């Protein structure tokens, strides 16, 4: 079965990962509402779908406000008659270390990623309930939200918050038959393309070649198209029993992320005083502390970036 007769909204779908999601949903038969802050970019993205025989309409608006959320849902219903799928992909980056990050840097990223996901999902779910649609909510997370990353306080907070909201929505939406899941992509984007670590992978992709196996398998790093299949699957009727999950995908790798669980538990009669913790913490939990950030294996010699010529 495909997505014929379904209607999807994909926020932030003018280019990159969002465009790949929208194009794959359309390829599977869904009509798609394209969204971008740039009207020309949104129109071009919609044209890429309609010129291939699909159905799409462009909505140029910044994600975050309730007004934009209503505009997107109205566009789906007024243009295509219904709404079945929402993919909340829109986002921005303002990377800086903590002491350099301004209030504006923090607020913008939270507003677009976290608030934008909240407002769009609230509007879509209201439509689903009112019209008895067993809809699909697919939010977009990040390894940064799962593990942390230097210089991304705002982004880590937003992406971790999205996963927390989705777990809550899975509970709240269950009776309505609506599913809510998070996709955690690992793919070549405008951000990763500038990192020397991924230079050989990006160069291979630009030449139209497959990325080396080290990237696709060991790192689970690939193209935007490698992520799109999971988005379309979670939008399908076949995925109706999957909800509240965080699923990672990239390159040749598919991962199911765990919910946070206690990794060790200890008890002490009368509770844990300062003195008890000073005396016992290291022996009880010190060797079970969790790492933070992503840990990449060393690049094989043949995949290391070319040295920068001396000036």
């Amino acid at each position: 079965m495909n997505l014929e007769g379904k209607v999807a909204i994909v926020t932030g779908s003018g280019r990159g990962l969002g465009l790949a999601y929208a194009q794959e949903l359309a390829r599977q038969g869904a009509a798609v509402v394209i969204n971008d802050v740039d009207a020309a970019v949104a129109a071009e993205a919609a044209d890429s779908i309609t010129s291939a025989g699909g159905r799409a309409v462009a909505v140029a608006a910044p994600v975050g406000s309730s007004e934009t959320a209503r505009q997107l849902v109205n566009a789906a219903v007024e243009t295509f008659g219904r709404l079945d799928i929402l993919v909340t992909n829109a986002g921005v980056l303002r990377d800086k270390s903590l002491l350099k990050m301004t209030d504006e840097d923090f607020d913008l990223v939270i507003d677009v990623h976290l608030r934008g996901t909240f407002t769009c999902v609230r509007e879509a779910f209201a439509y689903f309930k009112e019209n008895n649609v067993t809809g699909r909510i697919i939010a977009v997370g990040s390894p940064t939200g799962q593990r942390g990353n230097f210089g991304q306080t705002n982004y880590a907070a937003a992406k971790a918050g999205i996963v927390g909201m989705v777990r809550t929505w899975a509970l709240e939406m269950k009776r309505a038959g609506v599913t809510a899941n998070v996709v955690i992509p690992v793919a070549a984007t405008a951000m990763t393309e500038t990192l020397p670590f991924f230079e050989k992978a990006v160069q291979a992709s630009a030449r139209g070649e497959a990325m080396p196996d080290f990237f696709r398998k060991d790192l689970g790093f690939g193209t935007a198209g490698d992520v799109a299949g999971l988005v379309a699957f979670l939008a399908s009727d076949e995925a109706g029993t999957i909800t509240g999950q965080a699923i990672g995908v990239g390159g040749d790798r598919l991962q199911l992320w765990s919910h946070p669980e206690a990794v060790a538990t200890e008890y002490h009669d009368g509770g844990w005083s300062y003195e008890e913790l000073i005396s016992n913490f290291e022996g009880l939990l010190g060797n079970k502390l969790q790492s933070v950030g992503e840990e990449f294996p060393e690049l094989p010699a043949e995949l290391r970036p070319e040295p920068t010529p001396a000036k």
Side-chain angles (χ1 to χ4, degrees):
M1 293 178 65
N2 60 17
L3 302 178
E4 199 69 42
K6 306 283 189 182
V7 178
I9 297 167
V10 184
T11 68
S13 49
R15 51 169 67 91
L17 284 163
L19 178 57
Y21 304 157
Q23 289 173 334
E24 179 62 16
L25 291 168
R27 192 175 75 84
Q28 296 301 332
V32 184
V33 177
I34 296 286
N35 161 251
D36 197 274
V37 293
D38 187 316
V41 169
E44 184 177 354
D47 287 344
S48 74
I49 291 173
T50 56
S51 63
R55 296 180 297 155
V57 65
V59 174
V63 166
S65 69
S66 297
E67 289 75 17
T68 292
R70 284 191 291 270
Q71 185 180 357
L72 290 169
V73 171
N74 289 341
V77 176
E78 292 170 4
T79 306
F80 302 116
R82 60 182 294 120
L83 175 65
D84 303 273
I85 302 154
L86 171 65
V87 183
T88 58
N89 171 75
V92 295
L93 292 174
R94 291 296 184 273
D95 294 352
K96 292 177 186 173
S97 59
L98 178 59
L99 296 181
K100 295 178 181 178
M101 185 171 290
T102 66
D103 291 359
E104 292 75 17
D105 294 328
F106 185 85
D107 290 346
L108 177 63
V109 170
I110 294 296
D111 189 58
V112 177
H113 286 276
L114 191 61
R115 181 181 173 84
T117 297
F118 162 70
T119 55
C120 288
V121 170
R122 182 178 60 184
E123 195 70 23
F125 183 51
Y127 172 84
F128 293 157
K129 281 200 72 175
E130 185 176 339
N131 294 277
N132 296 313
V133 175
T134 53
R136 301 284 181 264
I137 302 295
I138 303 162
V140 177
S142 167
T144 294
Q146 304 294 102
R147 305 273 310 173
N149 192 35
F150 187 95
Q152 291 194 305
T153 294
N154 45 11
Y155 186 69
K159 290 303 190 182
I162 287 170
V163 176
M165 291 195 301
V166 164
R167 291 186 182 122
T168 299
W169 294 334
L171 298 172
E172 295 181 354
M173 297 177 180
K174 186 175 181 179
R175 285 188 64 184
V178 177
T179 65
N181 293 288
V182 182
V183 169
I184 299 175
V186 182
T189 64
M191 180 179 71
T192 55
E193 286 174 358
T194 64
L195 300 177
F197 190 87
F198 298 106
E199 182 179 292
K200 296 296 185 181
V202 172
Q203 289 174 348
S205 184
R207 293 192 300 266
E209 302 170 1
M211 293 181 184
D213 278 356
F214 174 82
F215 294 101
R216 294 191 59 84
K217 298 183 185 302
D218 293 47
L219 297 183
F221 179 83
T223 66
D226 292 322
V227 182
L230 175 61
V231 172
F233 168 70
L234 291 174
S236 70
D237 291 341
E238 287 79 4
T241 60
I242 303 169
T243 193
Q245 303 303 304
I247 305 176
V249 64
D252 297 332
R253 188 177 72 186
L254 183 70
Q255 294 181 311
L256 182 65
W257 284 85
S258 68
H259 299 323
E261 299 282 355
V263 297
T265 303
E266 300 288 345
Y267 298 94
H268 185 268
D269 289 345
W272 292 97
S273 68
Y274 173 82
E275 290 77 15
E276 288 291 345
L277 290 169
I278 286 288
S279 299
N280 297 301
F281 187 88
E282 183 61 31
L284 294 172
L285 300 181
N287 64 346
K288 300 181 178 71
L289 299 179
Q290 306 293 286
S291 63
V292 295
E294 289 194 84
E295 299 174 0
F296 294 136
E298 184 178 354
L299 275 170
E302 69 275 12
L303 297 179
R304 292 172 189 164
E306 302 296 337
T308 303
K311 293 184 179 179

